[in-house]
């Protein structure tokens, strides 16, 4: 049986079948499944991100001006899905925004494909989206090895992965927990 992943909803259906639903899968495993299906070892440049979003049925758009301190947001209207991110943001910020928003979209879709699932509320959804984005961008096995290889050097890890020191520290906490 082949599985069609041409829409994020199909990926969510796959997760429900494979893990029994979103409650049966950690953000770490969800990120691993997402990388396996959509990233397949590709570099995480803007071209790849646009292709991944398109594969999920999502349109990406850069905006000159964003409301307040917002780095990005998403809209979902039926089959129309869009993610907006700040034009001129650093690649690491754009990467994080896109994966964060994809995870927030998944939460809505999980409730559609598994009607008895109660979607996470705002703050829990935001935390899950941050963990998912970090797990996609800093895969556990590779990142854990680099933590030890660098002698727990947050600045070196930040440079190596082109991520902020705060994101590296948070991910280190998750990986070494």
């Amino acid at each position: 049986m082949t599985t069609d992943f041409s829409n994020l909803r199909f990926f969510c259906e796959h997760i429900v079948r494979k893990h029994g639903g979103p409650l049966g899968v950690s953000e770490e495993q969800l990120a691993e499944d997402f990388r396996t299906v959509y990233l397949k070892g590709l570099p995480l440049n803007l071209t790849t991100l646009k292709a991944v979003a398109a594969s999920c049925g999502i349109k990406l758009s850069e905006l000159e001006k964003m409301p307040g301190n917002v780095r990005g947001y998403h809209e979902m209207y039926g089959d129309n899905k869009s993610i907006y991110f700040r034009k001129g943001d650093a690649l690491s910020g754009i990467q994080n925004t896109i994966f964060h928003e994809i995870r927030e979209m998944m939460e809505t879709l999980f409730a559609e494909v598994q009607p008895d699932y109660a979607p996470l509320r705002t703050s829990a959804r935001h935390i899950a989206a941050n963990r998912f984005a970090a797990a996609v961008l800093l895969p556990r096995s590779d990142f854990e090895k680099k933590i030890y290889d660098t002698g727990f050097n947050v600045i070196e890890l930040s440079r190596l992965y082109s991520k902020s020191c705060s994101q590296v520290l948070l991910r280190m906490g998750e990986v070494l927990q």
Side-chain angles (χ1 to χ4, degrees):
M1 175 177 105
T2 59
T3 304
D4 179 4
F5 293 110
S6 63
N7 187 301
L8 191 57
R9 180 185 178 94
F10 298 138
F11 177 75
C12 291
E13 289 171 352
H14 165 74
I15 294 300
V16 168
R17 281 191 310 274
K18 182 177 179 182
H19 299 285
L23 295 177
V25 63
S26 67
E27 295 305 322
E28 196 74 43
Q29 184 59 56
L30 187 61
E32 179 64 32
D33 289 352
F34 189 87
R35 275 194 312 276
T36 300
V37 169
Y38 292 109
L39 295 174
K40 300 175 180 151
L42 296 170
L44 288 174
N45 56 38
L46 196 51
T47 301
T48 299
L49 295 175
K50 287 179 179 179
V52 167
S55 295
C56 293
I58 299 169
K59 180 183 174 196
L60 294 182
S61 298
E62 295 177 297
L63 295 179
E64 292 280 342
K65 295 185 180 192
M66 298 291 275
N69 268 346
V70 176
R71 276 190 114 154
Y73 63 94
H74 70 271
E75 296 177 330
M76 294 175 65
Y77 300 106
D79 287 337
N80 296 320
K81 296 172 186 61
S82 298
I83 293 175
Y84 302 92
F85 59 92
R86 182 175 298 170
K87 185 174 183 168
D89 201 355
L91 178 59
S92 62
I94 293 169
Q95 292 168 333
N96 196 71
T97 297
I98 291 169
F99 291 121
H100 178 101
E101 298 303 326
I102 285 173
R103 176 60 181 91
E104 287 190 353
M105 291 172 141
M106 280 186 215
E107 196 62 19
T108 300
L109 294 170
F110 283 138
E112 290 178 12
V113 301
Q114 190 176 26
D116 62 337
Y117 175 69
L120 298 173
R121 296 201 179 263
T122 304
S123 61
R125 182 182 292 222
H126 184 71
I127 290 167
N130 283 339
R131 286 187 173 148
F132 173 79
V136 170
L137 294 168
L138 303 167
R140 177 179 289 273
S141 60
D142 295 338
F143 187 67
E144 185 173 17
K145 182 181 180 326
K146 291 293 184 192
I147 290 170
Y148 291 109
D149 289 350
T150 62
F152 293 76
N153 187 328
V154 174
I155 294 169
E156 180 63 26
L157 289 165
S158 176
R159 282 189 206 128
L160 184 65
Y161 286 99
S162 299
K163 302 289 174 259
S164 69
C165 288
S166 61
Q167 187 173 26
V168 166
L169 277 169
L170 289 170
R171 186 65 177 145
M172 284 174 77
E174 290 174 353
V175 168
L176 298 175
Q177 184 178 31

